[in-house]
Amino acid sequence: MNGRAGILLAVRAALGACALALGGCAWDVPTSTLVGRSDLAHAILHVYAIITWTTAIIGTLVFVVLAIIVVRFRARPGDTALPAQIRGHTLLEMSWTIGPALALLIIAIPTIQVVFRTQSAATPPNALQVTVRGWQWWWEFHYPELELVTANELHLPAGRPVVLRLDGPDVIHSFWVPKLGGKRDVIPGRLNHITLTPDTPGEYWGQCAEFCGASHANMGMRVVVDSAADFDTWVARQKAPPAEPAGAAATGKTIFAGSACVGCHTIDGVSAGVLGPNLTHFGSRTMLAGGMWPNTPENVAEWVKDPQRLKPGVKMPTLGLTDDQAKAIAAYLSGLK
Amino acid sequence: MATPHDVAGAQPASAFTGATTAGARHPALATTRSWLTTVDHKRIGILYGVSAFAFLLLGGLEALLIRTQLLRPQLGVVSAEFYNALFTMHGTTMIFLAVMPLNAAFFNYIVPLMIGARDVAFPRLNALSYWIFLAGGLFLNASFLFGTPPDVGWFGYANLTTLPFSPGPAVDFWMLSVQILGVSSIISSVNFIATVLNMRAPGMTLMRMPLFVWMTLVVQFLIVLAFPAVTVGLIFLMFDRFLGTHFFDVAAGGDLHLWQHLFWIFGHPEVYILILPAFGIVSEVLPTFSRKPLFGAPVVIYSGVLIGFFGFGVWSHHMFAVGMGPVADAAFSIATMLIAVPTGVKIFNWLATMWGGRIRPSVAFHYAAGLVALFTIGGLSGIMHASPPVDLQQHDSYFVVAHLHYVLIGGSLFGIFAGLYYWWPKMTGRLLDERFGKLQFWVFAIGFNVAFFPQHFLGALGMPRRIYTYHRGSGWELWNFVSTIGAYVLGLGVLLFLIEAMRSLRHGARAPADPWDGRTLEWRTSSPPPVHDFDAIPPVYGRDSFWREKHGDSRGQRPAPRPPTPDPHGIHLPSPSFWPIVVASGLGIAAFGAIGFLLGPLVVALFLALVRMYHRDFTPGETRVPAVPGLPSTPAGEAVDKAGD
């Protein structure tokens, strides 16, 4: 734990010296790459710190020499004498060829170690398998062993290795939750993997990192890392059938079942569409429409009425719902805990 | 039969002396015509420079719109779709239409002068590459007029670019214009390889060539070898979009890694295509203003060549996130780190050049020293993401945006500004105001750093690239705000240069032939040089030949003056021609035809272009002798393209 804290401190100090001088910026923002919450993220930060310090030292050296030069060797007014016409110095030039090459070893060795360690082909024995599918512009998470499908919000148990199988149905996306480690592209026709073990319960933000079209900026996600017990509770709730709606929500269900919604969305027992997010437990998610807006009934009503306004280019059609219809559908969906 | 060629040929003097002689024609018309038909490397250089600067302003405007949209979270200055078009056009414009042709402006204007030649090897081919470049640039930007600017990123990753995901003509505009621009670049580089290898003044061995000429030569080889790769990719894409093939159709077995490999085999050498000319410029400016020879010049040359070689072996470091596996990741990581060695050597040799000098801190020197400092930052952040684990946190984040702008502004553009301030007197015959220039430098440099240094922080805080908006609470608000303010200051810096350039052209003090106590041959002729560059081909006594003539070698020993090289054929200069602009517009029309699926215009335009090329290549031009008093004249009728014999 001490070593890890030291690494974090080192990275932050080196990268952030200027920023801190400018008024103490907080590095622990929701998507910080400098705060690790998984074994993968810590392995990366280990190399990150070494490289940051090495390059910072070399950079400082160059800057100091350059500063000395512009102060010391500026021509005095009226001084027209020529300086010594030195054309080169073999030993010096050899030393600043070989020196940096050696300095690169400091970076290269831990780099190669971490590359092979974090991309090991072996799957840890008790790993949780999750298939991640990147769609324009939302995320689908499929837990094959648990027979669960959810969207935009990925729940993981702390302390247990997880293997994310990245699979792409349309264009290239990139799965990136900075605090849990580096990104990996989701490429149609190619299967990629990320193996990591989240270590601290909490909510981590992520976002698509490969430009994927009009609403690339609106393709967010949340990863909720639960304690083992909380994760089991969550799984049980997701496997239960959704609550039967009443009142306005019941109207909403009728509208939903009778409209184009069912062509793309699955709600267990109601519809079986597969082109859009599975909505069976939509109400249990904190965020809406690709993890970008808080999942409140008001936002849901606005979203179903005019999806293009919140998310330009979105594939979900504008159905021409009235305000009342939109509210009823929102009430229904928000009730799907 | 009066073809345009005959008409142009009948008034050769107009092309040599600008507006002065045009018979009965209107002088403005004659001037325009002389520029349209020019084959003079200096005029083509100026055409490149002016067009590229205009595109630089356009790309800068796009950048300012991007930064304005990101000033605060959730702004709606531009729509998502238009924002995507803006960063696509900004990248494509800055790379292909601003930095590359600004470098080409110096290749054209300066390289023949530096090697003591009277023009490039193929002057009309040179005009052709300029006009094709212009046609490509105008064609790309015509997409705005049609309301369908490209919006898939300058890297155009398949399969987002294929018909199912990008149905309109936006991608066609991008794909065709990059092909057109590639034609221009390849023609030009063949020309400059031939020029540098064949047309050096007697005595200028390869190792005596100025560094800028060396870097130019390396860049031409990079262009010739790199552009075919992206052209193959673009042709695959064109087949997919126009003819229904399946290179990038995953369902039909297409492989999306293919595009990325083809693109980056071009794309990474392209980085060196953009930066090496700046290294060349700095290697001229620093010795001149330190009044010392370049420290370890042969090593600086070799390291430039080595960077060029290594540049072809590192492309997959743009692809660490695609999942190539640990072996490929490790190999490309090591190769990328290795490239830091020759790059570092250059930095250290520049520092040693300045060390012990008597530095005259001109504006050109400011920009050159600025490059040494800022490129160091860009180079070191590059080493950071040479490490795949670190890159997986930095790739496609604002950290990379910061890195690439430190390389392409802090490196390329600072080098170009150094070159502009350095060679402006030679190119225009006027001086730029040094005090105003220093103000311009500081505004530009401060604006640049305020705009781009905070983007390192944004990347470290996890902000991805190419997002048109972000949310409150992301922690990215402060640095985006600061960065945008910096971008405005940077824009002001460019504007200040424009103002001073305009002023200097009208009212600037007259420049002497050698205002900086220069080292290389371009300072040995008048400012601006006569149309034939040198009255007599200059003698070459060694590296920094002109300096040796003035100050002697390192021991102060002056070379024995050598008589000018005999010029048995007199001065040959090629005649002006309308054909280059005609052929180039044929390519532009063909591209429009391809977009509209108007097979007729496509075939007709291609046919015309081919016929004209045939006509051009197999019709001997005429040698015209300008009226230079005291020089031997040559009978007309010899082949133009032998100007360099």
Side-chain angles (χ1 to χ4, degrees):
Chain A
M1 241 9 207
N2 245 345
R4 178 186 298 165
I7 289 164
L8 290 182
L9 195 71
V11 176
R12 279 180 232 163
L15 238 178
C18 305
L20 289 169
L22 282 167
C25 163
W27 289 105
D28 195 1
V29 306
T31 51
S32 180
T33 62
L34 307 180
V35 177
R37 292 288 181 260
S38 78
D39 59 339
L40 177 62
H42 293 305
I44 290 172
L45 280 171
H46 166 69
V47 187
Y48 206 144
I50 294 171
I51 294 190
T52 307
W53 278 112
T54 315
T55 50
I57 290 168
I58 298 173
T60 312
L61 211 73
V62 171
F63 272 73
V64 167
V65 173
L66 189 62
I68 294 173
I69 286 170
V70 294
V71 173
R72 194 173 142 197
F73 297 111
R74 186 175 288 239
R76 306 280 172 273
D79 180 2
T80 53
L82 284 185
Q85 301 289 300
I86 296 157
R87 300 199 159 266
H89 190 288
T90 312
L91 200 66
L92 258 180
E93 290 170 70
M94 276 175 68
S95 65
W96 64 51
T97 309
I98 295 167
L102 293 178
L104 283 175
L105 283 181
I106 303 174
I107 296 173
I109 291 169
T111 289
I112 304 306
Q113 286 171 334
V114 170
V115 164
F116 280 92
R117 183 145 52 90
T118 55
Q119 294 191 42
S120 150
T123 306
N126 61 335
L128 175 69
Q129 306 270 348
V130 182
T131 300
V132 177
R133 313 189 80 202
W135 295 80
Q136 281 182 321
W137 291 277
W138 60 282
W139 298 95
E140 180 175 293
F141 304 112
H142 177 58
Y143 300 73
E145 301 144 21
L146 305 173
E147 292 173 343
L148 275 182
V149 180
T150 179
N152 299 326
E153 234 163 79
L154 173 66
H155 279 252
L156 297 174
R160 181 175 166 194
V162 54
V163 176
L164 303 171
R165 274 173 89 251
L166 309 175
D167 190 8
D170 48 35
V171 300
I172 303 176
H173 305 276
S174 194
F175 180 92
W176 190 28
V177 183
K179 287 187 180 177
L180 298 183
K183 62 186 71 62
R184 186 63 72 189
D185 289 353
V186 184
I187 304 179
R190 294 238 171 203
L191 209 54
N192 275 334
H193 294 90
I194 300 178
T195 305
L196 57 85
T197 310
D199 54 30
T200 315
E203 193 181 287
Y204 304 108
W205 295 18
Q207 189 166 350
C208 175
E210 183 62 67
F211 179 67
C212 55
S215 255
H216 166 58
N218 298 320
M219 189 171 165
M221 73 184 108
R222 296 289 163 96
V223 177
V224 182
V225 175
D226 298 315
S227 65
D230 287 352
F231 182 72
D232 291 340
T233 316
W234 177 79
V235 170
R237 211 163 339 123
Q238 294 290 308
K239 292 186 85 104
E244 203 44 49
T251 320
K253 182 179 178 182
T254 316
I255 300 169
F256 181 94
S259 74
C261 307
V262 296
C264 298
H265 294 287
T266 294
I267 293 180
D268 282 355
V270 179
S271 62
V274 292
L275 292 176
N278 183 311
L279 301 176
T280 305
H281 291 281
F282 176 80
S284 71
R285 299 175 199 154
T286 56
M287 300 298 279
L288 163 74
M292 300 314 283
W293 289 273
N295 188 2
T296 63
E298 298 75 47
N299 283 348
V300 177
E302 215 177 309
W303 165 246
V304 296
K305 210 166 157 262
D306 186 5
Q308 291 291 338
R309 205 180 63 74
L310 280 182
K311 199 166 185 173
V314 65
K315 309 289 177 197
M316 179 158 139
T318 304
L319 296 175
L321 299 170
T322 65
D323 283 346
D324 288 341
Q325 287 172 321
K327 274 182 196 155
I329 290 182
Y332 168 55
L333 294 177
S334 301
L336 298 172
K337 297 286 185 193
Chain B
M1 199 175 78
T3 66
H5 182 258
D6 295 332
V7 176
Q11 294 178 343
S14 65
F16 294 128
T17 51
T20 50
T21 50
R25 287 174 188 277
H26 192 277
L29 199 69
T31 309
T32 312
R33 178 202 177 81
S34 74
W35 280 96
L36 293 182
T37 59
T38 186
V39 291
D40 175 355
H41 72 97
K42 298 180 289 299
R43 287 191 147 203
I44 292 171
I46 288 171
L47 285 173
Y48 262 114
V50 170
S51 323
F53 205 88
F55 282 123
L56 180 81
L57 295 178
L58 185 62
L61 197 68
E62 286 155 2
L64 290 183
L65 273 172
I66 290 172
R67 282 312 324 165
T68 307
Q69 165 71 11
L70 296 179
L71 180 72
R72 305 292 305 148
Q74 298 286 310
L75 284 188
V77 178
V78 294
S79 69
E81 289 85 354
F82 194 61
Y83 182 90
N84 296 342
L86 281 176
F87 71 67
T88 303
M89 291 296 283
H90 169 73
T92 312
T93 299
M94 286 309 198
I95 289 168
F96 294 106
L97 305 181
V99 174
M100 276 184 80
L102 278 170
N103 288 335
F106 292 129
F107 300 159
N108 269 283
Y109 204 106
I110 303 298
V111 166
L113 291 169
M114 275 188 155
I115 61 174
R118 292 211 163 102
D119 208 317
V120 294
F122 308 110
R124 269 198 284 179
L125 212 53
N126 199 23
L128 180 64
S129 50
Y130 167 72
W131 291 111
I132 292 179
F133 146 70
L134 190 67
L138 294 178
F139 177 72
L140 176 68
N141 282 284
S143 63
F144 278 119
L145 303 179
F146 288 82
T148 55
D151 54 359
V152 290
W154 87 279
F155 52 96
Y157 269 14
N159 55 351
L160 186 60
T161 49
T162 57
L163 273 181
F165 300 104
S166 295
V171 174
D172 301 335
F173 272 107
W174 174 79
M175 156 183 97
L176 292 164
S177 59
V178 174
Q179 287 184 70
I180 294 174
L181 294 166
V183 171
S184 156
S185 300
I186 290 180
I187 290 178
S188 160
S189 39
V190 169
N191 199 349
F192 275 91
I193 291 172
T195 303
V196 172
L197 292 184
N198 295 311
M199 299 186 62
R200 301 188 308 277
M204 181 170 285
T205 60
L206 284 176
M207 287 314 286
R208 286 176 173 181
M209 280 195 325
L211 251 291
F212 180 67
V213 179
W214 256 110
M215 291 305 108
T216 303
L217 183 63
V218 173
V219 164
Q220 309 313 321
F221 276 105
L222 292 183
I223 291 175
V224 167
L225 296 172
F227 268 78
V230 75
T231 305
V232 167
L234 288 165
I235 287 173
F236 286 170
L237 179 63
M238 194 164 74
F239 280 10
D240 269 14
R241 290 183 63 89
F242 288 166
L243 306 174
T245 55
H246 304 284
F247 290 102
F248 305 117
D249 178 354
V250 177
D255 188 338
L256 301 186
H257 278 197
L258 176 65
W259 169 267
Q260 299 192 16
H261 282 296
L262 286 173
F263 185 82
W264 288 117
I265 288 173
F266 148 78
H268 196 79
E270 174 69 17
V271 176
Y272 298 108
I273 291 169
L274 297 170
I275 188 77
L276 286 180
F279 287 178
I281 292 170
V282 168
S283 302
E284 301 300 334
V285 170
L286 290 179
T288 301
F289 294 101
S290 307
R291 299 171 65 77
K292 273 181 65 198
L294 182 67
F295 192 90
V299 175
V300 180
I301 292 171
Y302 295 141
S303 61
V305 175
L306 213 56
I307 290 173
F309 272 112
F310 282 173
F312 280 99
V314 299
W315 75 89
S316 280
H317 68 212
H318 296 267
M319 298 166 59
F320 285 147
V322 309
M324 296 179 298
V327 177
D329 280 6
F332 281 103
S333 170
I334 302 274
T336 305
M337 288 178 189
L338 276 180
I339 228 172
V341 175
T343 314
V345 165
K346 275 186 184 285
I347 300 266
F348 297 132
N349 276 5
W350 289 330
L351 290 174
T353 302
M354 292 183 271
W355 189 275
R358 298 268 191 292
I359 294 171
R360 293 169 298 158
S362 65
V363 184
F365 177 85
H366 275 64
Y367 272 104
L371 179 144
V372 175
L374 299 175
F375 181 79
T376 299
I377 297 179
L380 291 172
S381 60
I383 294 179
M384 294 180 81
H385 34 256
S387 167
V390 178
D391 181 65
L392 294 180
Q393 287 288 27
Q394 295 180 340
H395 176 74
D396 271 333
S397 81
Y398 263 81
F399 196 92
V400 171
V401 180
H403 158 75
L404 78 91
H405 284 94
Y406 268 85
V407 173
L408 295 185
I409 298 181
S412 299
L413 211 52
F414 268 67
I416 285 165
F417 268 114
L420 275 173
Y421 277 96
Y422 183 56
W423 283 312
W424 183 270
K426 182 55 60 187
M427 296 168 86
T428 64
R430 305 266 188 179
L431 294 173
L432 288 164
D433 186 80
E434 283 285 305
R435 275 180 53 195
F436 190 88
K438 278 170 200 167
L439 172 77
Q440 190 270 338
F441 167 82
W442 284 111
V443 172
F444 187 80
I446 291 171
F448 164 70
N449 282 291
V450 173
F452 291 102
F453 206 83
Q455 294 188 0
H456 292 109
F457 305 148
L458 285 173
L461 297 180
M463 178 167 170
R465 298 172 77 172
R466 307 185 180 111
I467 56 172
Y468 74 91
T469 193
Y470 54 98
H471 284 262
R472 273 187 198 80
S474 55
W476 306 332
E477 295 91 333
L478 170 67
W479 296 119
N480 270 303
F481 185 80
V482 173
S483 174
T484 300
I485 301 302
Y488 293 149
V489 178
L490 178 64
L492 177 68
V494 176
L495 214 59
L496 287 179
F497 176 80
L498 202 62
I499 292 168
E500 171 56 15
M502 296 291 188
R503 189 204 64 81
S504 165
L505 284 180
R506 296 217 180 107
H507 312 293
R510 293 282 172 186
D514 181 18
W516 313 121
D517 196 5
R519 314 179 69 85
T520 38
L521 294 179
E522 76 272 28
W523 306 109
R524 212 177 176 277
T525 185
S526 61
S527 298
V531 63
H532 52 282
D533 291 356
F534 300 98
D535 290 349
I537 297 299
V540 177
Y541 300 106
R543 181 176 293 123
D544 298 332
S545 177
F546 186 41
W547 173 272
R548 277 172 204 249
E549 276 185 71
K550 293 183 291 183
H551 301 284
D553 61 15
S554 45
R555 288 179 302 279
Q557 205 83 39
R558 266 174 229 220
R562 220 180 290 155
T565 314
D567 225 347
H569 302 294
I571 296 176
H572 295 227
L573 288 173
S575 50
S577 169
F578 269 118
W579 289 117
I581 191 169
V582 170
V583 172
S585 47
L587 269 179
I589 297 168
F592 271 114
I595 277 204
F597 272 122
L598 305 171
L599 210 57
L602 176 70
V603 171
V604 170
L606 276 177
F607 179 72
L608 284 180
L610 284 176
V611 167
R612 284 159 185 164
M613 279 185 192
Y614 178 84
H615 183 74
R616 198 197 67 79
D617 283 343
F618 292 91
T619 308
E622 288 173 78
T623 302
R624 297 290 165 177
V625 184
V628 182
L631 280 171
S633 64
T634 309
E638 288 191 37
V640 173
D641 288 342
K642 290 184 180 166
D645 283 4

